[in-house]
Amino acid sequence: MKNSLVQSFRQIQQKDIIWSDRYLSKTLFHAGFWVRKRLDVAIASHAKLAHGVLLDVGCGAKPYEKIFEPYVEHYFGLEYSPESGYRGNNADFCGDAAALPLADESVDTILCTEVLEHLSNPEKTIAEFARVLRPSGTVITTAPFVYPIHDAQDFFRYSPDGLAAIMQRHGLTIDKVKPLSGTAVTLAAMINLYWYEIGFMWTKWLYPVGLVLRPALWLICFVVNVLGGIFEFILPSQHLSFNHITIAKKS
């Protein structure tokens, strides 16, 4: 009886986390609002750089497919296995990003967002990107710099020039490296992710307390997020971005 109650409680908790990620993350009441917002805006604003055949490496549920459809001839996604991805995936085929099952110069655009930190051999992966890209092909990547460990397979963080340096070693030309947040927004996101997400969503003994206090907790998240946005404007600093978008091309 006790085990079944614990299992039911955990299912409720997981459904709550999924609901929060899916719907609340689009509002300032969510701990990860700035992260989701800045990533989505960055990808959407650079989608026009894509062309031809696009490979989405670590595609997950393909959240950006509709954004890129107007610019590409074909969009297909890769995942490591049928089971991989935060909540499963809609991959067209499976394989290792460090040994892509594709011919040389067979794709025009590579999208790789929030994946490179989970790959144990990013150097070889970037080499594979360069191999399968056609001349004038484009790589669009995002990768975290200041962000909590969020997976059992979470190996690396990338400074503004770190990922660019790897790409240059493999013959790719860097077009842009852009931070997705200033220091204030990063600190706001990290504070909220720590005390609210880790504390009142993921920590089992605090989760029931979080259910009772949920409206007050949402309000605190809102205030911290707003203050982060205000201070990013009045005291600009990009020394501590949570993430960067890096755009590169193959000559």
mmCIF file of all heavy atoms in Angstrom, residues 208-228:
data_model
loop_
_atom_site.group_PDB
_atom_site.id
_atom_site.type_symbol
_atom_site.label_atom_id
_atom_site.label_comp_id
_atom_site.label_asym_id
_atom_site.label_seq_id
_atom_site.Cartn_x
_atom_site.Cartn_y
_atom_site.Cartn_z
ATOM 1 N N PRO A 208 5.534 18.662 -1.565
ATOM 2 C CA PRO A 208 4.192 18.891 -1.005
ATOM 3 C C PRO A 208 4.018 20.299 -0.435
ATOM 4 O O PRO A 208 2.958 20.912 -0.561
ATOM 5 C CB PRO A 208 4.073 17.833 0.102
ATOM 6 C CG PRO A 208 5.069 16.786 -0.263
ATOM 7 C CD PRO A 208 6.187 17.513 -0.921
ATOM 8 N N VAL A 209 5.092 20.830 0.188
ATOM 9 C CA VAL A 209 5.041 22.206 0.693
ATOM 10 C C VAL A 209 4.866 23.178 -0.466
ATOM 11 O O VAL A 209 4.101 24.137 -0.398
ATOM 12 C CB VAL A 209 6.337 22.535 1.471
ATOM 13 C CG1 VAL A 209 6.306 23.971 1.973
ATOM 14 C CG2 VAL A 209 6.531 21.556 2.622
ATOM 15 N N GLY A 210 5.574 22.880 -1.572
ATOM 16 C CA GLY A 210 5.471 23.721 -2.758
ATOM 17 C C GLY A 210 4.079 23.742 -3.358
ATOM 18 O O GLY A 210 3.636 24.761 -3.894
ATOM 19 N N LEU A 211 3.369 22.624 -3.267
ATOM 20 C CA LEU A 211 1.991 22.581 -3.772
ATOM 21 C C LEU A 211 1.106 23.545 -2.990
ATOM 22 O O LEU A 211 0.289 24.267 -3.565
ATOM 23 C CB LEU A 211 1.441 21.158 -3.677
ATOM 24 C CG LEU A 211 1.920 20.157 -4.727
ATOM 25 C CD1 LEU A 211 1.391 18.765 -4.394
ATOM 26 C CD2 LEU A 211 1.473 20.575 -6.124
ATOM 27 N N VAL A 212 1.276 23.562 -1.683
ATOM 28 C CA VAL A 212 0.458 24.434 -0.831
ATOM 29 C C VAL A 212 0.811 25.905 -1.075
ATOM 30 O O VAL A 212 -0.075 26.765 -1.132
ATOM 31 C CB VAL A 212 0.671 24.077 0.661
ATOM 32 C CG1 VAL A 212 -0.082 25.053 1.554
ATOM 33 C CG2 VAL A 212 0.238 22.636 0.937
ATOM 34 N N LEU A 213 2.099 26.169 -1.234
ATOM 35 C CA LEU A 213 2.565 27.552 -1.372
ATOM 36 C C LEU A 213 2.701 27.993 -2.828
ATOM 37 O O LEU A 213 3.250 29.063 -3.088
ATOM 38 C CB LEU A 213 3.930 27.697 -0.691
ATOM 39 C CG LEU A 213 3.981 27.418 0.807
ATOM 40 C CD1 LEU A 213 5.413 27.543 1.308
ATOM 41 C CD2 LEU A 213 3.054 28.359 1.574
ATOM 42 N N ARG A 214 2.198 27.216 -3.772
ATOM 43 C CA ARG A 214 2.459 27.459 -5.186
ATOM 44 C C ARG A 214 2.198 28.901 -5.647
ATOM 45 O O ARG A 214 3.059 29.487 -6.317
ATOM 46 C CB ARG A 214 1.659 26.457 -6.036
ATOM 47 C CG ARG A 214 1.956 26.478 -7.532
ATOM 48 C CD ARG A 214 3.374 26.039 -7.863
ATOM 49 N NE ARG A 214 3.715 24.710 -7.428
ATOM 50 C CZ ARG A 214 3.473 23.600 -8.139
ATOM 51 N NH1 ARG A 214 2.866 23.680 -9.297
ATOM 52 N NH2 ARG A 214 3.851 22.436 -7.677
ATOM 53 N N PRO A 215 1.061 29.519 -5.344
ATOM 54 C CA PRO A 215 0.860 30.909 -5.816
ATOM 55 C C PRO A 215 1.936 31.875 -5.317
ATOM 56 O O PRO A 215 2.422 32.715 -6.078
ATOM 57 C CB PRO A 215 -0.516 31.279 -5.245
ATOM 58 C CG PRO A 215 -1.217 29.975 -5.073
ATOM 59 C CD PRO A 215 -0.148 29.007 -4.649
ATOM 60 N N ALA A 216 2.343 31.734 -4.045
ATOM 61 C CA ALA A 216 3.385 32.612 -3.497
ATOM 62 C C ALA A 216 4.728 32.341 -4.168
ATOM 63 O O ALA A 216 5.491 33.266 -4.461
ATOM 64 C CB ALA A 216 3.494 32.413 -1.985
ATOM 65 N N LEU A 217 5.026 31.086 -4.442
ATOM 66 C CA LEU A 217 6.282 30.730 -5.091
ATOM 67 C C LEU A 217 6.332 31.270 -6.521
ATOM 68 O O LEU A 217 7.368 31.758 -6.976
ATOM 69 C CB LEU A 217 6.467 29.207 -5.091
ATOM 70 C CG LEU A 217 6.487 28.528 -3.716
ATOM 71 C CD1 LEU A 217 6.699 27.032 -3.869
ATOM 72 C CD2 LEU A 217 7.560 29.128 -2.832
ATOM 73 N N TRP A 218 5.223 31.163 -7.226
ATOM 74 C CA TRP A 218 5.157 31.729 -8.579
ATOM 75 C C TRP A 218 5.417 33.236 -8.547
ATOM 76 O O TRP A 218 6.110 33.771 -9.406
ATOM 77 C CB TRP A 218 3.794 31.458 -9.196
ATOM 78 C CG TRP A 218 3.608 30.058 -9.692
ATOM 79 C CD1 TRP A 218 4.583 29.134 -9.942
ATOM 80 C CD2 TRP A 218 2.363 29.419 -9.972
ATOM 81 N NE1 TRP A 218 4.015 27.956 -10.367
ATOM 82 C CE2 TRP A 218 2.667 28.094 -10.400
ATOM 83 C CE3 TRP A 218 1.029 29.813 -9.906
ATOM 84 C CZ2 TRP A 218 1.672 27.192 -10.773
ATOM 85 C CZ3 TRP A 218 0.035 28.914 -10.289
ATOM 86 C CH2 TRP A 218 0.348 27.621 -10.704
ATOM 87 N N LEU A 219 4.845 33.898 -7.533
ATOM 88 C CA LEU A 219 5.013 35.353 -7.427
ATOM 89 C C LEU A 219 6.479 35.722 -7.183
ATOM 90 O O LEU A 219 7.001 36.684 -7.763
ATOM 91 C CB LEU A 219 4.139 35.896 -6.300
ATOM 92 C CG LEU A 219 4.185 37.413 -6.092
ATOM 93 C CD1 LEU A 219 3.743 38.147 -7.358
ATOM 94 C CD2 LEU A 219 3.305 37.819 -4.905
ATOM 95 N N ILE A 220 7.159 34.948 -6.336
ATOM 96 C CA ILE A 220 8.582 35.216 -6.081
ATOM 97 C C ILE A 220 9.392 35.023 -7.362
ATOM 98 O O ILE A 220 10.273 35.836 -7.692
ATOM 99 C CB ILE A 220 9.111 34.310 -4.952
ATOM 100 C CG1 ILE A 220 8.409 34.637 -3.631
ATOM 101 C CG2 ILE A 220 10.623 34.479 -4.795
ATOM 102 C CD1 ILE A 220 8.700 33.645 -2.524
ATOM 103 N N CYS A 221 9.098 33.944 -8.098
ATOM 104 C CA CYS A 221 9.767 33.720 -9.388
ATOM 105 C C CYS A 221 9.558 34.914 -10.310
ATOM 106 O O CYS A 221 10.496 35.381 -10.972
ATOM 107 C CB CYS A 221 9.199 32.467 -10.064
ATOM 108 S SG CYS A 221 10.065 30.947 -9.664
ATOM 109 N N PHE A 222 8.327 35.394 -10.359
ATOM 110 C CA PHE A 222 7.984 36.537 -11.209
ATOM 111 C C PHE A 222 8.833 37.752 -10.837
ATOM 112 O O PHE A 222 9.425 38.408 -11.709
ATOM 113 C CB PHE A 222 6.496 36.851 -11.055
ATOM 114 C CG PHE A 222 6.032 38.051 -11.829
ATOM 115 C CD1 PHE A 222 5.607 37.925 -13.138
ATOM 116 C CD2 PHE A 222 6.017 39.311 -11.249
ATOM 117 C CE1 PHE A 222 5.182 39.031 -13.863
ATOM 118 C CE2 PHE A 222 5.601 40.431 -11.954
ATOM 119 C CZ PHE A 222 5.180 40.285 -13.269
ATOM 120 N N VAL A 223 8.904 38.056 -9.544
ATOM 121 C CA VAL A 223 9.650 39.230 -9.076
ATOM 122 C C VAL A 223 11.134 39.103 -9.424
ATOM 123 O O VAL A 223 11.761 40.042 -9.933
ATOM 124 C CB VAL A 223 9.454 39.431 -7.561
ATOM 125 C CG1 VAL A 223 10.404 40.509 -7.035
ATOM 126 C CG2 VAL A 223 8.001 39.797 -7.258
ATOM 127 N N VAL A 224 11.722 37.923 -9.176
ATOM 128 C CA VAL A 224 13.145 37.719 -9.461
ATOM 129 C C VAL A 224 13.417 37.846 -10.962
ATOM 130 O O VAL A 224 14.401 38.470 -11.383
ATOM 131 C CB VAL A 224 13.617 36.344 -8.930
ATOM 132 C CG1 VAL A 224 15.049 36.050 -9.383
ATOM 133 C CG2 VAL A 224 13.525 36.303 -7.406
ATOM 134 N N ASN A 225 12.532 37.276 -11.781
ATOM 135 C CA ASN A 225 12.703 37.370 -13.236
ATOM 136 C C ASN A 225 12.604 38.817 -13.725
ATOM 137 O O ASN A 225 13.391 39.255 -14.573
ATOM 138 C CB ASN A 225 11.659 36.505 -13.949
ATOM 139 C CG ASN A 225 12.035 35.036 -13.980
ATOM 140 O OD1 ASN A 225 13.211 34.695 -14.006
ATOM 141 N ND2 ASN A 225 11.034 34.176 -13.986
ATOM 142 N N VAL A 226 11.641 39.546 -13.204
ATOM 143 C CA VAL A 226 11.482 40.944 -13.599
ATOM 144 C C VAL A 226 12.706 41.759 -13.195
ATOM 145 O O VAL A 226 13.236 42.561 -13.980
ATOM 146 C CB VAL A 226 10.200 41.544 -12.991
ATOM 147 C CG1 VAL A 226 10.181 43.068 -13.166
ATOM 148 C CG2 VAL A 226 8.965 40.928 -13.651
ATOM 149 N N LEU A 227 13.182 41.559 -11.970
ATOM 150 C CA LEU A 227 14.378 42.285 -11.512
ATOM 151 C C LEU A 227 15.594 41.952 -12.380
ATOM 152 O O LEU A 227 16.408 42.837 -12.684
ATOM 153 C CB LEU A 227 14.662 41.950 -10.049
ATOM 154 C CG LEU A 227 13.698 42.555 -9.021
ATOM 155 C CD1 LEU A 227 14.005 42.018 -7.625
ATOM 156 C CD2 LEU A 227 13.777 44.081 -9.037
ATOM 157 N N GLY A 228 15.710 40.693 -12.781
ATOM 158 C CA GLY A 228 16.805 40.325 -13.664
ATOM 159 C C GLY A 228 16.754 41.080 -14.978
ATOM 160 O O GLY A 228 17.777 41.585 -15.467
#
